[in-house]
Amino acid sequence: QVQLQQWGAGLLKPSETLSLTCAVYGGSFSGYYWSWIRQPPGKGLEWIGEINHSGSTNYNPSLKSRVTISVDTSKNQFSLKLSSVTAADTAVYYCAREAGYTYYYYYMDVWGKGTTVTVSS
Amino acid sequence: QSVLTQPPSVSGAPGQRVTISCTGSSSNIGAGYDVHWYQQLPGTAPKLLIYGNSNRPSGVPDRFSGSKSGTSASLAISGLQAEDEADYYCQSYDSSLSVWVFGGGTKLTVL
């Protein structure tokens, strides 16, 4: 049973860089895309970006200039960095595994528990 | 605003059937991309409920069903139970934006 364990700093000041890591346990790391998704308080889900085991990335254009997603295949981990954060970046951040028979038809079948990130001066 | 449109809320009495709609456009649902549904219980991470428009992962009761037609999709929940009270989100791919898109979410209240 695949499990995702995520961690990172929960309180940031404006202009700092958000940094989160997600570790994959109990299943294959290669052959999948791995996503970051966020949910502002009381709001819906927003896809941030994704990476596969080879390091190929895709980002949401609305965040692309500030986002970097990287992978460490030796540890079965992937990470999110979001620079120049503001209060608008306050959200619960989730990591998730993408699955499906082919790209464009993927769904998120395994999710981390989420990390609450608050941006406040 | 979300690319996929869902009603903010729906409600029903125990035992009843409710449906939640998810309306998109020609660049996502209407382009043929699959629709997937997630259930988010209060204070928890989303959980995959329906994938590929109408398929249930192992462990999801058959009270939950999904369908898709044209530029819209629907999630139906029959035999409502108190434990079904949650937020529900649809998800698909948008070729114009090149992103995975979610609906704004629908809060289900079991009366």
Side-chain angles (χ1 to χ4, degrees), chain A residues 39 47 50 61 94 106 108 112, chain B residues 36 38 40 45 89 91 99-100:
Chain A
Q39 184 173 34
W47 179 74
E50 64 189 2
Y94 296 100
Y106 283 172
M108 287 70 178
Chain B
H36 319 293
Y38 302 87
Q40 187 176 34
Y89 294 90
Q91 176 242 318
V99 299
W100 305 109

Side-chain angles (χ1 to χ4, degrees), chain A residues 13-70:
Chain A
K13 290 181 167 49
S15 80
E16 293 184 334
T17 295
L18 178 157
S19 182
L20 300 175
T21 297
C22 183
V24 180
Y25 298 103
S28 174
F29 189 74
S30 61
Y32 292 96
Y33 269 90
W34 304 90
S35 267
W36 288 100
I37 296 154
R38 71 180 182 178
Q39 184 173 34
K43 296 188 178 181
L45 301 166
E46 179 182 31
W47 179 74
I48 299 170
E50 64 189 2
I51 192 166
N52 67 6
H53 70 284
S54 301
S56 177
T57 56
N58 294 299
Y59 299 130
N60 189 324
S62 68
L63 297 168
K64 187 173 183 177
S65 63
R66 299 193 292 130
V67 173
T68 301
I69 298 177
S70 59

Side-chain angles (χ1 to χ4, degrees), chain B residues 41-103:
Chain B
L41 298 171
T44 69
K47 167 194 165 186
L48 180 66
L49 194 65
I50 296 286
Y51 67 94
N53 305 317
S54 60
N55 301 291
R56 287 186 307 277
S58 174
V60 173
D62 60 7
R63 301 186 295 105
F64 295 91
S65 62
S67 63
K68 173 190 156 184
S69 178
T71 58
S72 295
S74 290
L75 172 70
I77 310 171
S78 60
L80 265 182
Q81 300 180 4
E83 66 203 50
D84 299 332
E85 194 160 280
D87 294 325
Y88 293 84
Y89 294 90
C90 58
Q91 176 242 318
S92 187
Y93 181 79
D94 190 284
S95 58
S96 292
L97 302 172
S98 297
V99 299
W100 305 109
V101 290
F102 291 91

Side-chain angles (χ1 to χ4, degrees), chain A residues 2-4 22-29 34 75-78:
Chain A
V2 177
Q3 292 187 331
L4 305 184
C22 183
V24 180
Y25 298 103
S28 174
F29 189 74
W34 304 90
K75 296 180 180 179
N76 282 5
Q77 295 176 1
F78 61 106

Side-chain angles (χ1 to χ4, degrees), chain B residues 4-36:
Chain B
L4 304 180
T5 301
Q6 298 180 233
S9 64
V10 297
S11 62
Q16 286 189 331
R17 180 179 186 271
V18 297
T19 60
I20 299 172
S21 61
C22 175
T23 302
S25 67
S26 59
S27 62
N28 41 69
I29 299 175
Y33 299 116
D34 283 351
V35 177
H36 319 293

